Amino acid sequence: MSQPTRPLTSVVEAIGETPLVELARLTRGRTGQILAKLEYLNPGYSKKDRIARQIIEDAEANGLLQPGQPVVELTSGNTGTGLAIVCAVKGYPFVAVMSKGNSMERARMMAALGAEVVLIEQLPESKPGQVSGGDLALVEQAAQRIAEERGAFRADQFRLAGNVRAHTLHTGPEILRQAGQPIHVFCDFVGTAGSFAGCAAAFKEHDPAIQCFVVEPADAAVLAGRPLTNPNHRIQGGGYAMEELPLLRPEHVDGYLQVSDDEAIETARRLAREEGIFAGFSSGANVAAALQLLTTTFQGAIIAVLLSDSGLKYLSTDLWVS
Ligand SMILES: Cc1ncc(COP(=O)(O)O)c(C=O)c1O
């Protein structure tokens, strides 16, 4: 998708075509490269704008969404922000259902974009800033109930193909084109696994030798078959310790990597200080995982990662208090 030589008809057309930047300062002294896709430069400051557009446009094309029909989805904030933007432009009322454990910047931003935001209490044992699979199950129940009550289209990011297609059609091919050289490895911190599945499909189709790694929190690496020792990690947007992710295809997975909260946080801070890149916890996790590979089994490799959202979304957390 190249940029047209005319004004965009709406901000929805500004989604995607984000820059790819080599993290040359973070990898100094090592052979190989980390190429980072700056997804926080999307209009809603996250990669999830892409899936919001794809899911809504797929539903319009398939007749599943009628003019003016409400849209409901559960969100850790980023998908909801993307949906709020797309629904505002296209005229659909949008209800975002979110755990109180996610940072409040996200709720405020969705509300500013015209969404109705329904906040769901966390489980008694959970902590703010640490949304567990159990917390997410409560959000899912509420989203189902609200969708039924309102006769809404459920923009179900854990199940709908649009979540994967956005990245197979766009994010993955953009990386292949922008890299200007072959890439060898892709690693991605998974929530729904839509980004991993979509990019991995594009990469494997281009060159089956590209190695694709799922990144999980060190204490909740259940997809890797490890025990769940702490469901309440700090890496917002994923790591829900769900053993089955409907969108994840085993044939795309070459391995699993684990990143601790401290590694993700320290790497997000280094991205800001050393690269001038202001991104969130999961971006730190992806780059930390890529650095693990560059220092161990993939010395000299070209590794692609997504920087999923903006550091602005965590100003109320202690990410930036060092
Ligand atoms: C900040 C952030 N990082 C990572 C992810 C995980 O992406 P995916 O759901 O495509 O696996 C999300 C998903 O919401 C997110 O918001």
Side-chain angles (χ1 to χ4, degrees):
M1 211 187 347
S2 58
Q3 290 293 336
T5 52
R6 56 167 172 78
L8 304 178
T9 58
S10 81
V11 77
V12 172
E13 285 193 354
I15 294 171
E17 287 296 335
T18 52
L20 187 71
V21 174
E22 184 192 346
L23 305 181
R25 283 136 293 272
L26 274 189
T27 56
R28 201 172 278 143
R30 298 189 170 97
T31 56
Q33 294 178 10
I34 300 175
L35 304 180
K37 186 92 166 129
L38 306 193
E39 288 298 296
Y40 65 87
L41 292 178
N42 278 300
Y45 310 114
S46 94
K47 65 180 180 180
K48 292 290 190 162
D49 291 0
R50 294 176 182 269
I51 74 154
R53 179 184 187 177
Q54 193 73 49
I55 287 173
I56 294 298
E57 292 186 352
D58 283 358
E60 287 173 334
N62 298 334
L64 297 172
L65 179 58
Q66 304 307 318
Q69 189 181 354
V71 174
V72 171
E73 182 48 347
L74 68 80
T75 176
S76 64
N78 283 330
T79 302
T81 300
L83 284 167
I85 290 170
V86 174
C87 289
V89 168
K90 290 175 174 279
Y92 301 107
F94 173 56
V95 185
V97 191
M98 188 175 98
S99 169
K100 276 196 178 165
N102 290 116
S103 62
M104 282 306 111
E105 290 90 328
R106 296 156 178 245
R108 289 203 186 132
M109 187 170 171
M110 288 188 282
L113 289 162
E116 177 184 337
V117 181
V118 179
L119 293 176
I120 306 299
E121 291 291 347
Q122 290 184 274
L123 290 166
E125 62 272 24
S126 296
K127 296 191 194 119
Q130 303 178 353
V131 176
S132 68
D135 293 325
L136 199 68
L138 294 178
V139 181
E140 169 64 29
Q141 279 169 20
Q144 279 182 17
R145 178 177 46 75
I146 294 167
E148 213 163 291
E149 283 167 9
R150 312 266 179 114
F153 169 68
R154 177 74 200 279
D156 191 345
Q157 57 172 326
F158 276 90
R159 283 174 193 81
L160 290 176
N163 183 1
V164 178
R165 274 160 48 76
H167 301 292
T168 312
L169 294 174
H170 303 294
T171 321
E174 286 172 28
I175 292 173
L176 290 169
R177 172 167 46 76
Q178 292 168 312
Q181 61 186 328
I183 66 160
H184 306 119
V185 181
F186 170 64
C187 56
D188 195 45
F189 178 76
V190 299
T192 65
S195 314
F196 176 88
C199 289
F203 294 153
K204 297 275 185 197
E205 155 107 36
H206 176 77
D207 176 0
I210 297 176
Q211 300 289 293
C212 298
F213 290 89
V214 163
V215 179
E216 293 182 281
D219 295 336
V222 301
L223 295 168
R226 297 190 174 210
L228 173 64
T229 50
N230 176 17
N232 298 321
H233 61 85
R234 306 280 315 276
I235 311 172
Q236 292 190 35
Y240 298 123
M242 293 158 71
E243 277 162 30
E244 291 278 314
L245 288 175
L247 300 179
L248 190 61
R249 301 247 307 266
E251 66 269 30
H252 289 151
V253 184
D254 294 296
Y256 299 87
L257 301 168
Q258 289 87 42
V259 172
S260 69
D261 288 355
D262 287 349
E263 272 179 287
I265 291 168
E266 181 47 32
T267 311
R269 289 176 180 165
R270 285 191 63 201
L271 271 172
R273 278 197 308 264
E274 297 175 40
E275 298 281 356
I277 287 176
F278 197 54
F281 288 95
S282 69
S283 304
N286 284 341
V287 175
L291 285 167
Q292 283 179 19
L293 292 173
L294 268 195
T295 43
T296 56
T297 40
F298 284 90
Q299 293 181 25
I302 313 295
I303 304 179
V305 293
L306 305 180
L307 301 191
S308 307
D309 72 354
S310 169
L312 290 171
K313 301 202 179 208
Y314 306 96
L315 285 176
S316 69
T317 75
D318 62 1
L319 178 55
W320 306 119
V321 186
S322 49

